[in-house]
């Protein structure tokens, strides 16, 4: 097969590793502070939901759809002010995660534009403002 999907290139386990690297980057990178503060300390639920979503989005089986039905990313992110900084922080964490898992240049190039479009679609504010930590916040459960 000449044109593999990102799912075929990473596999289910590779996507899980990518998400673990993504959330590790979010927790570790100083420039991801605002994004980090939007998430609960325990990210198990959001990791699982994002994994299910990305498996299908990257060309694998529609796990998220089978479990939860259709998804509207803009609706699930409405409670959070997501401006250009938060969008860029998310993309920065994903870029770092792709590096950490040793993704090929081909895969990174394949994902660059679709990820940029995805994060731009979720952006719901023209500006970014610092957020206060939410120690009891619930992970994006409607994702």
């Amino acid at each position: 097969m000449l044109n593999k999907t990102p799912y075929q290139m990473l596999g289910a386990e590779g996507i899980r590793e990518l998400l673990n690297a993504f959330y590790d980057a979010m927790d570790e990178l100083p420039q991801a502070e605002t994004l980090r503060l939007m998430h609960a300390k325990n990210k198990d639920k959001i990791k699982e939901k994002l994994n299910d979503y990305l498996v299908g989005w990257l060309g694998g089986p529609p796990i998220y759809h089978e479990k939860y039905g259709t998804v509207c990313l803009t609706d699930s992110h409405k409670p959070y002010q997501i401006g250009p900084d938060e969008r860029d922080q998310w993309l920065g964490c994903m870029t770092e995660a792709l590096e950490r898992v040793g993704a090929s240049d081909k895969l990174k190039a394949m994902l660059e534009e679709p990820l940029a479009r995805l994060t731009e679609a979720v952006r719901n504010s023209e500006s970014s403002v610092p957020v206060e930590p939410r120690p009891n916040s619930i992970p994006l459960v409607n994702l």
Side-chain angles (χ1 to χ4, degrees):
M1 177 179 280
L2 295 175
N3 293 320
K4 290 184 174 182
T5 66
Y7 177 80
Q8 291 168 321
M9 295 171 82
L10 285 168
E13 187 56 36
I15 292 172
R16 191 163 300 282
E17 289 174 18
L18 178 64
L19 286 175
N20 286 332
F22 171 81
Y23 284 106
D24 288 347
M26 182 191 300
D27 286 341
E28 296 165 6
L29 297 175
Q31 62 268 36
E33 181 180 19
T34 305
L35 184 63
R36 181 171 46 254
L37 293 174
M38 291 179 168
H39 290 77
K41 275 196 168 221
N42 184 322
K43 296 175 185 69
D44 291 344
K45 286 182 181 180
I46 190 65
K47 279 184 181 182
E48 190 62 33
K49 282 194 166 191
L50 185 55
N51 179 76
D52 293 347
Y53 176 78
L54 283 181
V55 164
W57 189 77
L58 294 172
I63 298 170
Y64 185 95
H65 183 72
E66 291 168 357
K67 285 183 178 179
Y68 308 105
T70 58
V71 62
C72 179
L73 291 176
T74 55
D75 283 349
S76 59
H77 289 83
K78 276 183 185 174
Y80 306 91
Q81 182 170 343
I82 301 173
D85 290 347
E86 293 77 19
R87 174 201 59 206
D88 294 346
Q89 288 175 31
W90 194 98
L91 283 171
C93 290
M94 186 55 74
T95 299
E96 176 66 19
L98 287 163
E99 287 294 324
R100 290 182 184 190
V101 300
S104 68
D105 289 341
K106 180 179 180 178
L107 179 60
K108 289 186 254 184
M110 285 174 71
L111 293 177
E112 183 177 8
E113 183 61 30
L115 286 171
R117 284 194 312 265
L118 182 71
T119 57
E120 181 59 25
V122 172
R123 186 175 64 82
N124 58 20
S125 176
E126 294 299 321
S127 63
S128 299
V129 295
V131 296
E132 294 299 317
R134 298 181 188 177
N136 296 317
S137 68
I138 298 171
L140 299 168
V141 294
N142 293 326
L143 178 68

